[in-house]
Amino acid sequence: MVRELKYGMVGGDLKALIGECHRKALGLDPRAKLVCGCFSAVDELNDECAEAYHVDKARVYYDAEKMAEAEAGKIDFVSICTPNFVHYSVAKTFLEHGINVVCEKPLTLKVEEAEELSRLAKEKNLVFAVDYCYSGYVMCKVMKQMIARGDIGEIISVNADYMEGCFLELLSEKEQVNSRIWRTDPKYSGISNTCADDGTHVEHLVHYVTGLKIKRLLATADTFGKKLDLNDNIILEYENGAHGAYWFSQVACGSPNEINLRIYGTKGSLEWHQTRPDEVRFARAGEAAQLLCRAGDGIDVPAGSLARVPFGHPEGYYIAIANIYRNVIDTILKLKNGETPTEEDLDFPDVETGVSGVKFYYAVMESAQNNSKWVDVE
Ligand SMILES: NC(=O)c1ccc[n+]([C@@H]2O[C@H](COP(=O)([O-])OP(=O)(O)OC[C@H]3O[C@@H](n4cnc5c(N)ncnc54)[C@H](O)[C@@H]3O)[C@@H](O)[C@H]2O)c1
């Protein structure tokens, strides 16, 4: 019986942002061991990582394709933590070598690329997860189950935003944004910056929690004279006829990766904020609102039992990512041991989620560039 998985990483050098979060999240799971990587496109940075991450130097590669070739049959999955423009080619090569993939978002720069990855993963019968990590928060899972049970009735309105101020400096004359500038360069980020980067998190999270599907949308995208969007406002119509409003901004001074989700139904409402991820405000029509707290009283849906630390001790971002990985690992282990993964095991954002994200930011950009016309979303 297989009990431990070996994984490799592409991207995630010592200075990178998200690779470290993946390694820390995976470090919370004794069933996964980092054994190889192509941590950077820069050779010296790669070499430093071997020592820092306790990876055998012989298994540190200067090219992701060579890594896939050499590690086929030796690793159980790869975590791709590179900038957006690298996701497609790297994911494709690992799939072609029969290796399960966990990839960062947005999945690709083009819809056709995302669809090709989806086709390939299915054809090869491989697990493919996309790190839309906010759905890993226990209280998002609690909201999802409460909504599915009918606690707030039929959803009639959604209001969601993702605000940060990380690119405000781009608007100043000095433009001193010095690190990881790839995000605002179309060569590396494709047709969208803020919507692809942050907006797709919201698109996924709302769908995950509510089950609503977007029918059409209209949008504005502010570039402030720069190459890509930095501030987007969107009105959406869902397939059930309800409307929603999303706002994504990377020039919102003073806002620290705030994601705010407000969902209104015919019988009540739910409200969640990523800066206080262990709490959900729940209101039933005609009653005073109550604060539900992770691992606290009054949560009677199964997701309530997923908390890892007791009431009052914060969990947070690393554990949200670890929760995604826990299910990915459960799924891969079961498949390797000839068992069938359960619905709970399969509760992670999959390659189709990645495809939806890419279609979403294409629709937003199409509307914004065409006088905010309504655009159907597939
Ligand atoms: N899920 C989330 O909450 C979240 C948060 C931040 C970033 N991200 C996503 O993670 C990805 C990486 O973002 P980041 O902020 O860590 O970027 P970063 O610039 O900090 O790190 C990118 C890493 O990729 C490496 N790299 C670049 N090209 C490579 C190549 N060809 N082969 C191997 N390594 C290569 C760099 O050396 C670096 O280690 C992006 O797609 C971003 O959208 C997701």
Side-chain angles (χ1 to χ4, degrees):
M1 174 139 176
V2 183
R3 290 177 193 281
E4 190 190 84
L5 300 180
K6 296 183 175 57
Y7 78 96
M9 178 168 276
V10 181
D13 66 34
L14 288 173
K15 292 191 186 131
L17 170 64
I18 204 68
E20 189 187 359
C21 300
H22 283 244
R23 287 190 303 279
K24 290 213 162 108
L26 280 158
L28 292 168
D29 202 316
R31 302 172 301 166
K33 188 170 171 6
L34 178 66
V35 295
C36 62
C38 169
F39 302 103
S40 174
V42 180
D43 296 356
E44 303 78 61
L45 293 180
N46 236 331
D47 293 339
E48 284 174 12
C49 293
E51 195 165 325
Y53 305 160
H54 302 276
V55 169
D56 181 352
K57 270 200 176 132
R59 294 179 82 177
V60 171
Y61 302 86
Y62 298 136
D63 176 317
E65 200 165 334
K66 294 218 167 74
M67 172 173 155
E69 248 171 64
E71 294 291 343
K74 296 186 193 147
I75 55 172
D76 300 296
F77 68 94
V78 65
S79 295
I80 302 172
C81 300
T82 58
N84 307 353
F85 73 103
V86 188
H87 295 172
Y88 166 67
S89 60
V90 174
K92 185 164 183 270
T93 195
F94 278 88
L95 290 175
E96 283 167 348
H97 285 89
I99 298 168
N100 299 303
V101 171
V102 178
C103 186
E104 262 308 335
K105 43 47 61 179
L107 183 54
T108 55
L109 299 194
K110 295 197 174 129
V111 174
E112 307 79 63
E113 293 173 345
E115 288 175 334
E116 193 187 339
L117 293 180
S118 166
R119 258 195 316 276
L120 204 50
K122 280 178 201 134
E123 196 181 294
K124 300 261 181 187
N125 221 0
L126 290 165
V127 174
F128 196 125
V130 181
D131 184 36
Y132 282 111
C133 50
Y134 300 105
S135 56
Y137 280 115
V138 171
M139 293 310 281
C140 290
K141 294 181 187 297
V142 165
M143 286 192 292
K144 176 187 174 73
Q145 293 179 357
M146 289 175 69
I147 288 172
R149 189 171 66 178
D151 286 10
I152 63 167
E154 199 191 337
I155 295 169
I156 49 176
S157 183
V158 175
N159 187 292
D161 49 64
Y162 191 136
M163 302 119 74
E164 51 178 338
C166 59
F167 289 122
L168 187 62
E169 286 167 69
L170 269 185
L171 307 190
S172 75
E173 279 175 17
K174 287 196 202 146
E175 290 201 3
Q176 283 186 345
V177 176
N178 45 12
S179 64
R180 312 301 184 185
I181 200 74
W182 60 262
R183 279 186 167 79
T184 55
D185 186 335
K187 246 196 315 194
Y188 307 117
S189 250
I191 63 162
S192 165
N193 168 41
T194 300
C195 186
D197 194 11
D198 291 348
T200 59
H201 273 301
V202 171
E203 179 263 340
H204 164 61
L205 191 61
V206 171
H207 172 65
Y208 178 78
V209 169
T210 65
L212 291 175
K213 291 205 173 101
I214 302 169
K215 184 177 165 207
R216 58 181 191 151
L217 58 79
L218 65 83
T220 60
D222 301 314
T223 62
F224 306 106
K226 304 299 167 192
K227 289 181 185 149
L228 295 176
D229 57 313
L230 292 163
N231 188 72
D232 308 315
N233 284 285
I234 295 139
I235 301 287
L236 309 101
E237 186 177 314
Y238 302 101
E239 282 181 357
N240 77 343
H243 286 108
Y246 299 167
W247 170 43
F248 319 134
S249 183
Q250 291 180 321
V251 290
C253 179
S255 293
N257 280 292
E258 274 182 50
I259 302 176
N260 302 303
L261 192 55
R262 297 176 188 85
I263 305 156
Y264 299 92
T266 48
K267 292 186 189 162
S269 69
L270 288 162
E271 192 172 317
W272 177 83
H273 307 275
Q274 123 98 358
T275 47
R276 302 196 306 275
D278 289 340
E279 299 171 1
V280 161
R281 187 174 184 275
F282 172 44
R284 279 197 185 89
E287 292 179 20
Q290 49 179 308
L291 198 63
L292 301 178
C293 298
R294 180 189 48 73
D297 293 335
I299 298 175
D300 58 356
V301 288
S305 66
L306 294 173
R308 296 187 188 221
V309 292
F311 181 33
H313 296 304
E315 287 197 347
Y317 189 62
Y318 291 139
I319 289 193
I321 301 177
N323 287 342
I324 303 279
Y325 269 115
R326 177 160 66 184
N327 293 352
V328 170
I329 291 169
D330 283 337
T331 297
I332 297 176
L333 277 174
K334 286 209 175 145
L335 291 171
K336 281 183 87 79
N337 288 316
E339 296 167 39
T340 307
T342 63
E343 204 180 311
E344 288 76 34
D345 300 328
L346 292 168
D347 178 19
F348 57 80
D350 62 6
V351 68
E352 283 310 319
T353 312
V355 176
S356 299
V358 181
K359 286 183 176 167
F360 172 71
Y361 76 75
Y362 265 81
V364 169
M365 289 304 122
E366 185 185 341
S367 174
Q369 285 157 11
N370 288 280
N371 212 17
S372 304
K373 70 168 186 181
W374 282 103
V375 171
D376 290 338
V377 180
E378 226 185 278

